[in-house]
Amino acid sequence: MTMDLATATSPAQDTTPARTARPRRYVMTCPEYFSVEYVINPWMDTSTPVDTGRAVAQWEALRQTYLDLGHTVDLVAPVAGLPDMVYAANGGMVVNGKAVVARFAYQERAAEAVAYAAWMADHGFAATETRHVNEGQGDLLLAGSMILAGHGFRTDRRAHHEIAEHLGMPLVGLELVDPRFYHLDTALAVLDDTTVAYYPPAFDEHSRTTLRELFPDAIEVATADAYVLGLNAVSDGLNVVLPAAATGFADQLRDNGFRPIGVDLSELLKGGGSVKCCTLEVHS
Ligand code: ARG
């Protein structure tokens, strides 16, 4: 009887691919001036009190998680009066030595682009601007050698063409249809060069077909995980840092050979962001 059990679970029959971590370089901005002062997405409510000290402690734990995994974290100095600056992913897109700086959809965040462009310039990336709105890695995610690009709420479709041309990379546009998932990184996570996880109802029919064709082995997450921003995760190819509340997604990751690492960013969720939003990856 034990023989049967052994056969059923033998490694030879395990089709889960081996996952490997690659050291990454991230850019983060401390939420020293974080608060919810205006409403530009459905998660924000100015009547909800924000504990900035707690936000800083949670963010610090995220930074330490990356350091413990062996990644590099560069810091951009926070600017008073820019309460959303902690969401560094929105600062732009850096890949293959080229950079595009954000052009924010809302005036409240416009000045953040100045700070992120300065960081890019100081680190040897001459940042290009787009004529149309682009909110950086909120909507632009590198998957292997292509860019998955969201539109519908923030990044303008016309900016997709500007970005593909500047970076010299193929870009696949994906339309977001649910305001709760207003940036691509709230509805889709890139886990490695060929694997993604996403929440199908956040996309229009055509984009869902595109995703099924491009990623037949994708992980489709459940509503409960999507609604705690579980997909706002950061992967190094093996370790996936994600909101701790997304326990179903964590199980799916484990079943697929990844190592989920849950972190609590509950204060930052009040601004409509979590792990990935706080993390701008410098793709080299
Ligand atoms: N309050 C910010 C906004 O609405 C949150 C940005 C979250 N960032 C992200 N990459 N999804 O713009």
Side-chain angles (χ1 to χ4, degrees), residues 40-41 44 84 87 89-90 109 138 154 182-183 185 271-272 277:
I40 57 173
N41 71 55
M44 301 173 88
D84 272 339
Y87 305 113
N90 299 128
R109 298 196 65 187
R154 301 290 180 88
Y182 57 95
H183 275 144
D185 72 355
C277 296

Side-chain angles (χ1 to χ4, degrees), residues 166-221:
H166 178 65
L167 299 177
M169 297 177 80
L171 179 151
V172 176
L174 297 168
E175 183 168 355
L176 297 161
V177 294
D178 179 339
R180 189 170 284 266
F181 304 102
Y182 57 95
H183 275 144
L184 181 63
D185 72 355
T186 63
L188 183 146
V190 175
L191 302 172
D192 66 23
D193 288 354
T194 55
T195 315
V196 302
Y198 66 101
Y199 180 56
F203 297 90
D204 77 338
E205 183 56 44
H206 179 73
S207 304
R208 286 202 295 264
T209 304
T210 304
L211 286 167
R212 269 195 304 271
E213 283 170 7
L214 285 174
F215 305 103
D217 300 325
I219 298 175
E220 297 189 10
V221 309

Side-chain angles (χ1 to χ4, degrees), residues 39-51:
V39 176
I40 57 173
N41 71 55
W43 301 81
M44 301 173 88
D45 177 353
T46 51
S47 64
T48 308
V50 171
D51 183 338

Side-chain angles (χ1 to χ4, degrees), residues 54-160:
R54 189 150 179 260
V56 171
Q58 292 177 339
W59 174 90
E60 188 54 55
L62 174 64
R63 188 177 80 97
Q64 193 57 51
T65 301
Y66 291 143
L67 296 175
D68 292 346
L69 289 169
H71 303 311
T72 304
V73 179
D74 288 18
L75 298 176
V76 171
V79 176
L82 295 176
D84 272 339
M85 207 181 149
V86 62
Y87 305 113
N90 299 128
M93 179 70 175
V94 189
V95 53
N96 296 337
K98 294 183 181 170
V100 174
V101 70
R103 177 179 296 282
F104 284 90
Y106 293 98
Q107 192 50 39
E108 289 90 336
R109 298 196 65 187
E112 294 180 38
V114 178
Y116 287 105
W119 181 88
M120 290 170 188
D122 288 350
H123 292 78
F125 306 104
T128 294
E129 291 183 2
T130 55
R131 288 177 49 226
H132 301 285
V133 167
N134 92 78
E135 295 205 346
Q137 288 178 8
D139 278 319
L140 305 166
L141 297 175
L142 184 69
S145 55
M146 73 181 148
I147 296 171
L148 302 178
H151 66 95
F153 295 101
R154 301 290 180 88
T155 299
D156 189 315
R157 235 191 146 149
R158 290 168 295 180
H160 289 181

